[in-house]
Every structure is written in C-alpha cells, then in structure tokens.
Amino acid sequence: MEKILVTGATGQVGSELTIALRNNYGPENVFAADKRPALNELSPSGPFCLLDVRDASAINQVVDANNIDAIFHLAALLSAVAEQKPQQAWDVNMNGLLNVLETCRAHRCALFFPSSIAAFGPETPSMNTPQDTIQRPSTLYGITKVSGELLCDYYHHRFGVDARGLRYPGLISSKTLPGGGTTDYAVDIFYAALKSQHYDCFLRADTQLDMMYMPDAIDAAIHLMTADSKQLKHRNAFNVTAMSFTPQQLAAEIQKHIPEFTIAYIVDPLRQAIADSWPRHMNDSAAKAEWGWQAQFDLSAMVTDMLKKITLT
Ligand code: VAH
C-alpha cells in the first residue's frame, strides 16, 4: 500500500484509522473522504475530500487523480439507524460497496471491508461462533454485511480484486463517538460515568456481546491488509474479538475506578432485539492461524485506558 483512500473517514473507525495510516504511511499518502465535512485533527493532518460513495464517478475520479492503490471502505449506516432507514442503508451499504469494488477492479486497488458480528443471525451458534457457520441475519445492516462478504469474495475470485475483511465486534473508542449502533452503550457509558456518575443503559443487564478496543481494531485492519495474501483462506470475513461482556460486567469494571457510579436499565426494544440476534462470543482462531491476530486489550485494560483518555468537552 502506497496511496490509500479511507471512505467514511469521519466515522468512529475511520477517524482513528486515518490518523494511524497517516502515521504509518505519511500524511500526504492517506486521502480521507466522507459525505460530511472533517472535524478536529482529520483535515489539518492530511488531504480530505467530500465524497458520497453512492456516486461511482466521484469515487473513480478521486482514485484516478491520486493513484490510489488501496481503499479502506468504512462508509456505511450502522445497525440501529439501518433499521429505521432500511432502503437508504441498502443504497449506501450495498451500492456504495459495489461502486468501490468496481473502482478497485478498474484501478487494481486492494480493498478493506469491515464486516461485523451482525453478519450472523438467531440461528447461528451464539457461543464460540465458528468462522464458517450459518449466516441468516435478521437485520438490514446484517444482510448488507453478509452480502458484502459474499460480494467481496466474488470480486476476488471473478476479477482478482485483493479484497480483505474482518467481522468486527462492538468497537470502543476514546476519540470518536459512535453513531447509530447497537453497541454504542459501551462508549456512552464512559462519558456518563465521568459526567454524572450514572448511566441509563438501553440494553438489558445480561446482554453479552463481543467487543474490542479501537487500538486493536485499527491494528487488526492494517495487519490484515499487510499480511501474506497466500495465507488467507477466509480473506473477506475473519472473526476477530478481544473480549465479551455484559453491561453489568462493564459497569462493575468502571465502579473499580469510580465507586459511586450507578447504572439503570431502560431497554430500547429495537436495539435489544438487534443485540439478541447476534452471537455472544466468536471463535477467532482462523484469524490467529492465518495472519497472527492477537488482541492487546482486555476489559480491565480497556476501561483503565478509556477513563484515562476520555476528555469531556
Ligand atoms: C453497530 N457498532 O452497533 C456497530 C457494530 C457489532 C456492532 O457493527 O451497529
């Protein structure tokens, strides 16, 4: 990778990934793009352009003009928003991906595609979820994720596109707030704990989900994209996880730092139904075996680092 384009660059993953890529590859070689304007350090630290991934010619123009050879395609609507706007989510998540894959085919670019635990459904084994198993997601977001995995596989086998991807769990960042996801509680809770020492959680206390701290998520994406292609059997949809916890367990870990912190549960039926359709804990042995995946942050280390790094504005 020499000239990189990041779509969805102002989002929860994109904003931190862009900075990490710029640190690794040089700011002038990492082009950030998003439908909405850049905030804070994203724009001053390197090139930024407004880009709607539903506009195929605009993607082609950015890639052609800047000799892009790798695209990290993060532009998408997340699970809860996608349930409220399913047609728009299909358009952005699927037509946007198809446009990016067509550009990769024409310009011989490598592609990173973020899949998700959402690509699994209620029939999927929920504990120790295998790398290869039944995938019948019941959410629009999950349908776009499993379809995206298959579309990336097709472009690899049919056109030779070097597409690679990860099934991310819920992601927790100290730098960027999430937008419209079901796992957002695991970020919101930290701001509430610091601001008011209380959090009203929109998921049930016992809702166990896979999670990962953003530094691990960024390292996993870059590590996968620089791995030996010949070793990648599963290339477009590696299960990766770092920890699996419930809101109750996360609250207890925060209370070790903020003893007066309290939590209540005011369940949002939409996001609870989404969370209930996802697995509890994935098996990520394929990622470990094929490209050496290894998380660095567990629950205790993540909570300690989050409380140290979060700044209340
Ligand atoms: C969401 N944060 O909640 C995303 C993610 C596994 C969850 O895909 O929609």
Side-chain angles (χ1 to χ4, degrees), residues 151-163 229 235-236:
L151 195 57
C152 289
D153 275 342
Y154 178 80
Y155 266 74
H156 175 66
H157 295 302
R158 179 73 173 71
F159 302 116
V161 172
D162 182 8
S229 177
R235 74 168 32 247
N236 278 310

Side-chain angles (χ1 to χ4, degrees), residues 12 78-80 116-118 141 168-171 180-184 278:
Q12 186 194 28
L78 296 182
S79 57
S116 160
I117 56 174
Y141 175 72
Y168 276 135
L171 299 181
T182 299
T183 57
D184 296 358
W278 292 348

Side-chain angles (χ1 to χ4, degrees), residues 24-71:
N24 289 7
Y25 293 90
E28 71 285 356
N29 296 317
V30 182
F31 297 78
D34 202 299
K35 196 161 72 75
R36 54 192 179 185
L39 302 170
N40 54 54
E41 59 186 305
L42 204 55
S43 189
S45 69
F48 176 86
C49 69
L50 289 173
L51 177 67
D52 186 328
V53 293
R54 292 170 291 187
D55 181 346
S57 61
I59 300 170
N60 258 297
Q61 195 279 326
V62 170
V63 168
D64 194 31
N66 299 294
N67 300 313
I68 300 294
D69 64 355
I71 301 178

Side-chain angles (χ1 to χ4, degrees), residues 94 97-98 101-102 105 111 113 146-164 234-236:
M94 290 314 300
L97 175 61
L98 183 62
L101 279 165
E102 273 296 289
R105 180 170 70 91
L111 172 70
F113 169 72
V146 66
S147 305
E149 291 177 9
L150 297 173
L151 195 57
C152 289
D153 275 342
Y154 178 80
Y155 266 74
H156 175 66
H157 295 302
R158 179 73 173 71
F159 302 116
V161 172
D162 182 8
R164 308 180 188 194
H234 292 88
R235 74 168 32 247
N236 278 310

